[in-house]
């Protein structure tokens, strides 16, 4: 196969819709082009009156949607001459930053909350050679420190306050519209810092021929909107009950949830996410950790799709709103599954699994176990 046909990541795929100079060398790991999976079994459980998809972003190179933003942010940072990047992270941003920095041959500094990051994410940051700094404090404190240190030190911030992150993440909306031939009626996302719900709204808006000037990086030649759709989806954002500033309508100082990727009380994209909610006539909701974990287990067992706890918040919300009738029958619904279940094996083993059977290494014991289960 020639290099022209090989998929080489979202920058090459969507370069004309991104504010990158035409000659900029893309730092890519082949991110994007994730599957939009129809949930046939769960649709049946719900009565067959809705069309339900998940966009499985856990199948990006480092296992989360953060790769979409990171490829563009690191590409731009390198083009501007940066030799180092920095981020605060609940885990997945640090995994992506570490991987793309390795790819670019630059240094990644990552600040994570001690003891509150999933094992797989920590393993990734370490494996890719990032400088990992654990702090006695949560994501929100880490974010404050990163903002301050980047004013003095020669490092580029790659959190979602970097406008190039949202530019990369908007491409998920492009892929969904290409797959469906239109926008869904409802798009459900888990909300932490609220960068991703903002980026999706940006993507859908540009496809509807609208620009969102506040999100355009300063001083760039910005591409014209694409005009592929006439209707944008209602944007629904879901949070964990212990970490739900958009439901409380105010910042939360001590966020707590098992879904560590959305354990954020002071979202950086606060105002943008409210705009997305209002302009799309969408809404926010929150669910208890137990409901989120139950949805994670249900999706894994019923459809064979294994996402991390935070990701399950989107489907948890969709299921609740469908049952309540707030998402109307006949609707097409897309839920973003932000990260892969393997990121957080501790939770899976502790909360989700069928018990492991201890069976003697003998034929009749195994045969008996099979008979018991199938009886
Ligand atoms: C980062 C992340 C989120 C939250 O996304 P925001 O853009 O911060 O709202 C949700 N789920 C996973 C798995 C993440 O890594």
């Amino acid at each position: 196969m020639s290099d022209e046909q090989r998929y080489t990541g979202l920058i090459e795929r969507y370069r004309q819709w991104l504010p990158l100079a035409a000659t900029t060398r893309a730092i890519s790991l082949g991110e994007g082009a994730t599957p939009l999976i129809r949930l046939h079994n769960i649709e049946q459980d719900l009565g067959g009156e809705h069309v339900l998809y998940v966009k499985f972003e856990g199948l990006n190179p480092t296992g989360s949607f953060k790769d979409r933003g990171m490829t563009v942010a690191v590409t731009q940072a390198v083009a501007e001459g940066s030799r180092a990047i920095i981020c605060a992270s609940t885990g997945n941003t640090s995994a992506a930053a570490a991987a793309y920095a390795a790819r670019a041959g630059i240094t990644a500094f990552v600040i994570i909350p001690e003891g509150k990051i999933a094992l797989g994410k920590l393993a990734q940051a370490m494996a890719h050679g990032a400088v990992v700094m654990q702090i006695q404090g949560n994501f929100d404190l880490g974010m404050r420190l990163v903002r301050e240190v980047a004013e003095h030190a020669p490092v580029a911030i790659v959190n979602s306050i970097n406008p190039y992150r949202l530019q990369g993440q908007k491409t998920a909306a492009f892929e969904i519209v290409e797959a469906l031939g239109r926008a869904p009626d409802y798009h459900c996302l888990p909300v932490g810092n609220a960068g991703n719900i903002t980026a999706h709204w940006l993507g859908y808006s540009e496809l509807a021929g609208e620009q969102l000037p506040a999100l355009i990086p300063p001083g760039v030649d910005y591409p014209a909107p694409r005009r592929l759709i006439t209707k944008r989806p209602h944007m629904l954002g879901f949070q964990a009950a212990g970490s739900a500033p958009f439901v409380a309508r105010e910042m939360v100082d001590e966020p707590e949830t098992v879904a560590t990727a959305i354990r954020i009380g002071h979202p950086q994209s606060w105002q943008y996410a409210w705009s997305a909610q209002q302009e799309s006539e969408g809404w926010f909701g929150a669910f208890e950790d137990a409901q989120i974990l139950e949805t994670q287990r249900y999706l894994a067992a019923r459809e064979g799709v294994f996402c991390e706890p935070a990701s399950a918040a989107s489907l948890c919300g969709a299921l609740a709103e469908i049952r309540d009738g707030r998402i109307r029958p006949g609707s097409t619904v897309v839920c973003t599954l932000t990260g892969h279940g393997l990121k957080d094996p501790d939770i899976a083993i502790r909360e989700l699994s069928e018990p492991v059977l201890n069976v003697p290494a003998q034929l009749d014991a195994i045969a008996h176990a099979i008979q018991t289960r199938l009886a």
Side-chain angles (χ1 to χ4, degrees):
M1 199 191 273
S2 79
D3 215 42
E4 280 73 49
Q5 288 169 328
R6 192 168 62 91
Y7 180 81
T8 54
L10 63 84
I11 290 179
E12 295 312 344
R13 174 74 183 77
Y14 294 112
R15 193 182 270 271
Q16 69 187 119
W17 312 110
L18 296 169
L20 295 170
T23 52
T24 309
R25 181 176 66 97
I27 310 294
S28 172
L29 291 164
E31 59 296 311
T34 54
L36 187 65
I37 303 170
R38 185 142 175 207
L39 302 183
H40 292 290
N41 298 332
I42 290 179
E43 282 179 13
Q44 260 183 18
D45 294 350
L46 291 168
E49 292 192 277
H50 300 78
V51 177
L52 191 52
Y53 294 94
V54 287
K55 179 76 168 158
F56 193 14
E57 293 288 280
L59 294 184
N60 276 295
T62 78
S64 87
F65 76 85
K66 299 297 199 301
D67 293 344
R68 286 185 191 272
M70 205 56 72
T71 183
V72 179
V74 172
T75 291
Q76 180 64 18
V78 169
E80 289 173 7
S82 295
R83 301 295 308 146
I85 57 176
I86 190 166
C87 63
S89 178
T90 59
N92 280 330
T93 300
S94 62
Y100 284 83
R103 188 78 167 160
I106 63 175
T107 305
F109 296 94
V110 307
I111 297 186
I112 57 173
E114 187 176 0
K116 296 292 182 180
I117 137 168
L119 197 61
K121 304 175 188 181
L122 181 59
Q124 288 176 292
M126 294 169 71
H128 293 304
V131 179
V132 179
M133 294 178 263
Q134 290 197 346
I135 58 163
Q136 303 271 343
N138 61 22
F139 170 87
D140 300 309
L141 177 57
M143 191 66 239
R144 227 163 61 217
L145 293 168
V146 163
R147 277 180 180 275
E148 281 171 34
V149 80
E151 281 182 21
H152 313 292
V155 291
I157 299 183
V158 293
N159 282 104
S160 55
I161 56 171
N162 176 331
Y164 290 92
R165 279 274 309 275
L166 302 193
Q167 290 293 321
Q169 288 168 212
K170 78 182 180 185
T171 61
F174 293 179
E175 291 176 12
I176 290 165
V177 166
E178 285 162 17
L180 298 179
R182 65 181 192 94
D185 300 306
Y186 298 87
H187 190 129
C188 305
L189 289 130
V191 172
N193 237 347
N196 210 25
I197 195 168
T198 302
H200 279 76
W201 184 240
L202 172 66
Y204 286 122
S205 294
E206 291 185 359
L207 293 172
E210 306 233 2
Q211 232 153 33
L212 304 185
L215 299 179
I216 295 178
V220 300
D221 243 355
Y222 200 75
R226 297 182 66 188
R227 296 183 195 283
L228 287 186
I229 57 174
T230 51
K231 213 171 137 279
R232 295 176 285 182
H234 302 290
M235 302 300 295
L236 311 191
F238 296 108
Q239 305 204 282
S243 178
F246 285 100
V247 175
R249 295 177 173 269
E250 62 183 9
M251 301 294 175
V252 171
D253 283 336
E254 303 282 340
E256 244 349 307
T257 169
V258 68
T260 50
I262 50 173
R263 186 172 170 269
I264 294 174
H266 290 242
Q268 298 292 314
S269 293
W270 178 252
Q271 205 49 56
Y272 300 140
W274 281 115
S275 298
Q277 176 266 319
Q278 281 155 19
E279 289 166 24
S280 76
E281 297 173 22
W283 62 87
F284 295 106
F287 297 91
E288 297 297 333
D289 282 0
Q291 295 170 282
I292 293 171
L293 292 173
E294 171 54 25
T295 305
Q296 183 193 15
R297 189 204 57 74
Y298 174 52
L299 177 65
R302 188 80 173 109
E303 297 280 7
V305 177
F306 187 25
C307 68
E308 67 173 280
S311 310
S314 62
L315 182 63
C316 184
L319 298 179
E321 304 292 1
I322 286 172
R323 291 192 186 107
D324 282 2
R326 286 180 84 193
I327 292 181
R328 289 181 294 277
S331 302
T332 296
V333 183
V334 170
C335 297
T336 297
L337 298 180
T338 44
H340 202 290
L342 289 173
K343 292 274 192 176
D344 205 342
D346 295 333
I347 285 288
I349 290 169
R350 201 170 72 222
E351 306 279 352
L352 309 177
S353 306
E354 296 275 322
V356 174
L357 305 177
N358 285 310
V359 182
Q362 287 161 6
L363 199 53
D364 57 346
I366 307 252
H368 177 74
I370 292 172
Q371 266 170 11
T372 310
R373 187 65 171 83
L374 295 181

